[in-house]
Amino acid sequence: MDLAADARVAAEPEESWYLDSAFTPGVTLGTRYDDPSTAVRVVEVREVTTIRIPSGRLVVDAPWPDEDESDLRARPGRELAERIPPGTHRVEAAWTEAPYDFMGERHDGRQVAAVRLLVAEAPVARWEMGLGVGDDIERIRPGGRRIGFRTETNTAGFGDAAAWPALTAPFLEFWRGARSGNRQPRRTENLFGGAFELVKDEERGADLVTFSAEGDDVVWLGRAESGAVVSVAVASGYHLFSREAPF
């Protein structure tokens, strides 16, 4: 089935506009909710890192463990049903700025609006909602609720599914230490001042990179004209301001 042409998963016009525009420097995405006179503009699209996905199976999910009253458990991770070519892939982030004043100081309002894992260099012709392993497309209705992953820690990540337990171990260890009163630095590499974290598993030759995310997030697959997936994106800033899509 060509899911890219299926209305149940195809991006709506406003969603497609945002995903295209978020990775286009100079574009105005909208205005600040608290100040409609201040534009939110894309100021930079930059490579964050490269990650190894040797299995071709990609997880996009929060790296932190599930927590209940009795135990901490590692999350299995939401693996995408779509496979990508095994290998090393670039991860890029798009930053916006929307200046504001706070306590007499001027701030640039800089934040990450979207992140993407680049599978190929071809341009995106259309976007679709990325289904997870086990998701049943027959239960999805056109215009219905989007499905994806949920994060309660404002953090998500791209990582190899086969190595996911090892790649997320530093987050599980950190949380367990915090609960026991023995908090130690995480065994991760901070990128861009801690906005992203990188975990490398040299035994498996796989990596994980984290990024900011908000609540319920959709994973978007960008397809070329041929139908091949060329980009996997999460629009973390989609709900953070008043959008100005030209419709």
Side-chain angles (χ1 to χ4, degrees), residues 218-230:
V218 178
V219 180
W220 296 101
L221 304 180
R223 293 189 183 271
E225 288 287 358
S226 65
V229 172
V230 296

Side-chain angles (χ1 to χ4, degrees), residues 167-204:
L167 292 170
T168 57
F171 298 90
L172 179 60
E173 294 168 1
F174 180 86
W175 209 318
R176 283 176 172 166
R179 286 189 58 174
S180 67
N182 185 31
R183 178 176 293 181
Q184 299 292 327
R186 281 196 292 281
R187 296 184 294 106
T188 65
E189 178 184 349
N190 286 334
L191 307 175
F192 291 85
F196 306 86
E197 293 182 64
L198 179 66
V199 182
K200 292 180 174 291
D201 180 1
E202 297 301 345
E203 180 179 347
R204 298 166 182 80

Side-chain angles (χ1 to χ4, degrees), residues 36-239:
S37 66
T38 298
V40 179
R41 291 192 177 91
V42 182
V43 295
E44 183 178 18
V45 177
R46 184 173 176 183
E47 180 177 311
V48 173
T49 188
T50 59
I51 61 171
R52 297 167 293 177
I53 310 291
S55 70
R57 297 163 49 204
L58 181 66
V59 168
V60 187
D61 205 346
W64 290 101
D66 289 325
E67 182 179 20
D68 61 24
E69 295 182 358
S70 60
D71 193 15
L72 287 174
R73 300 183 300 275
R75 294 168 59 99
R78 184 175 186 263
E79 179 182 343
L80 298 185
E82 185 81 25
R83 298 292 184 260
I84 64 174
T88 300
H89 301 283
R90 292 192 294 123
V91 176
E92 291 185 341
W95 279 268
T96 58
E97 289 186 3
Y100 66 96
D101 293 316
F102 180 70
M103 298 186 68
E105 294 185 5
R106 189 68 168 168
H107 300 268
D108 58 20
R110 186 179 177 91
Q111 63 184 25
V112 174
V115 294
R116 64 183 176 186
L117 183 144
L118 292 172
V119 179
E121 295 298 332
V124 172
R126 56 188 184 269
W127 293 94
E128 68 178 54
M129 179 177 63
L131 298 180
V133 171
D135 288 342
D136 183 2
I137 191 172
E138 298 305 325
R139 300 182 64 179
I140 301 172
R141 296 290 178 265
R145 177 179 174 271
R146 295 301 192 187
I147 58 175
F149 67 90
R150 177 166 181 77
T151 174
E152 296 180 355
T153 56
N154 295 331
T155 309
F158 294 130
D160 186 275
W164 188 255
L167 292 170
T168 57
F171 298 90
L172 179 60
E173 294 168 1
F174 180 86
W175 209 318
R176 283 176 172 166
R179 286 189 58 174
S180 67
N182 185 31
R183 178 176 293 181
Q184 299 292 327
R186 281 196 292 281
R187 296 184 294 106
T188 65
E189 178 184 349
N190 286 334
L191 307 175
F192 291 85
F196 306 86
E197 293 182 64
L198 179 66
V199 182
K200 292 180 174 291
D201 180 1
E202 297 301 345
E203 180 179 347
R204 298 166 182 80
D207 305 313
L208 160 74
V209 64
T210 70
F211 49 86
S212 61
E214 296 286 337
D216 294 300
D217 286 271
V218 178
V219 180
W220 296 101
L221 304 180
R223 293 189 183 271
E225 288 287 358
S226 65
V229 172
V230 296
S231 181
V232 181
V234 175
S236 54
Y238 187 68
H239 301 291

